[in-house]
Structure formats: C-alpha cells, structure tokens
Amino acid sequence: MVSGDTVEDGARVAPGLGGLSILCKLGSSWVVPASEPYTYIRNGEAGRSQLVNFDLREVGGDRYGWIGKFCGSGSGGQTNCSWSMYTAMTSGKIEEVARLDLDYSYELMSKPSYGEAESDVSINTVGAMTGGFYALKVTVDYEHGIYDKNYDPIRYSLDKGTDSFVIEFNEQTQTFNLPDDKS
C-alpha cells in the first residue's frame, strides 16, 4: 500500500506516506498477521513515498522484510539516501528496524569541498542470526576532496577508499545500528 499524500500541505521537504501489510493464506481465506496501515510510514520526500521501490526479502529464519533505499535532496545540490528495512515485529506491527544513512553527495562552495559515498548492503543469509535476523554486510565507497579557485578537484586533497563492515541486529534497541564511527 503506497500513498503520495503529504503531511504538511505544500512542504517540499514533506516525506511521502505509505503502509505495509503481510497477508497469509489460511485455508481458503487470507488473514493479516501484521500491518502498519494506520500509523503512516514516513518515507521519501516531496510528498512521494518511495516504498514502491522496496523489495520483500528473507531477513531471518522464517522472517521477511521490505528493504530498499529512499533518497532526498537539500539545498545546494546535496543529496542523501538511507537504506531501510521494515519487518513484522512481535507487536504485530510492521516497524522500521534499520535506517542506515550511508549514501550522500555534496558540494560546499563556502570551503570549497566535495564528498560522495555510495553503499551496498546485503543480507548474510548463511551466517548466524541475532534476534531472528541475519547480519547485514555493508560496503561503502567514498571520495572527499577540496576544489581549487576554478572548482577543479585538487589531487593531493583526494581521500578515496572503501569501508566494509558487518552489522548485527541489536536485541536491546530492536534495530540495526551503524557503528559509532560510520554514521
């Protein structure tokens, strides 16, 4: 279920609204064991939910969730994307258990500098589970640098590389959290 309504009328930064449900066949009937249609899931921007781009995948032993990225932009050409996972929890509601802010692109003319990062998040379906969830494998390719007065990147300022790490489900917070030095 995806909606394009906005919370605040006319607000460019308003997220989109969406809802998710899990249907199961029980005999000849369909039942709803988990849903989140009444409390809106705020996702996307400019009143457009990006849940339509999410995929349903196995995220643990006999557990499925919707995963995907949603992106937004700010002033001055800045963009960012969050990798998210929504799944049914013991409450019977669908909850966001991961929001990893990993992807970005920005240019700061006041410094002048730039930075960008692009991530890949995969579910380690062959590894051990924590709290009923498989661990997430994350790879982030990044590049940062400084511009000269003509706004060309200065070679010696270039910081380019790849970070890789694993995130386990935190049973205490009931979420996947980035390590402190990765946020």
Side-chain angles (χ1 to χ4, degrees):
M1 198 167 44
V2 176
S3 171
D5 296 336
T6 64
V7 179
E8 300 91 12
D9 285 329
R12 177 172 152 68
V13 296
L17 304 176
L20 299 170
S21 298
I22 295 178
L23 298 171
C24 294
K25 184 117 178 166
L26 187 62
S28 62
S29 301
W30 288 93
V31 294
V32 180
S35 68
E36 195 55 46
Y38 304 114
T39 305
Y40 292 116
I41 296 170
R42 288 162 171 80
N43 169 293
E45 73 163 359
R48 299 222 131 209
S49 174
Q50 295 176 19
L51 290 176
V52 71
N53 299 324
F54 278 50
D55 295 319
L56 186 63
R57 299 220 193 125
E58 183 179 9
V59 297
D62 200 29
R63 181 185 293 260
Y64 292 84
W66 286 267
I67 64 170
K69 284 185 182 180
F70 66 92
C71 301
S73 62
S75 62
Q78 298 179 36
T79 61
N80 63 340
C81 294
S82 296
W83 186 93
S84 292
M85 178 192 300
Y86 299 92
T87 190
M89 299 301 282
T90 56
S91 65
K93 291 185 176 185
I94 302 210
E95 298 181 26
E96 185 177 44
V97 295
R99 180 174 289 197
L100 309 177
D101 297 325
L102 297 167
D103 296 17
Y104 58 86
S105 176
Y106 68 84
E107 292 186 11
L108 299 174
M109 296 306 168
S110 59
K111 283 201 174 181
S113 64
Y114 72 96
E116 55 190 37
E118 189 170 327
S119 67
D120 179 58
V121 180
S122 62
I123 299 170
N124 187 11
T125 59
V126 295
M129 289 187 289
T130 305
F133 288 91
Y134 297 122
L136 303 176
K137 293 193 293 187
V138 180
T139 303
V140 181
D141 295 317
Y142 64 88
E143 181 177 322
H144 302 109
I146 300 172
Y147 289 125
D148 64 17
K149 63 183 177 183
N150 296 320
Y151 295 104
D152 293 320
I154 300 172
R155 283 189 191 269
Y156 71 83
S157 75
L158 186 63
D159 178 17
K160 186 175 183 178
T162 301
D163 286 337
S164 296
F165 49 95
V166 174
I167 304 173
E168 292 185 352
F169 184 74
N170 183 321
E171 293 182 85
Q172 190 172 23
T173 63
Q174 294 290 290
T175 58
F176 287 91
N177 301 307
L178 288 173
D180 288 338
D181 62 342
K182 303 296 182 198
S183 55

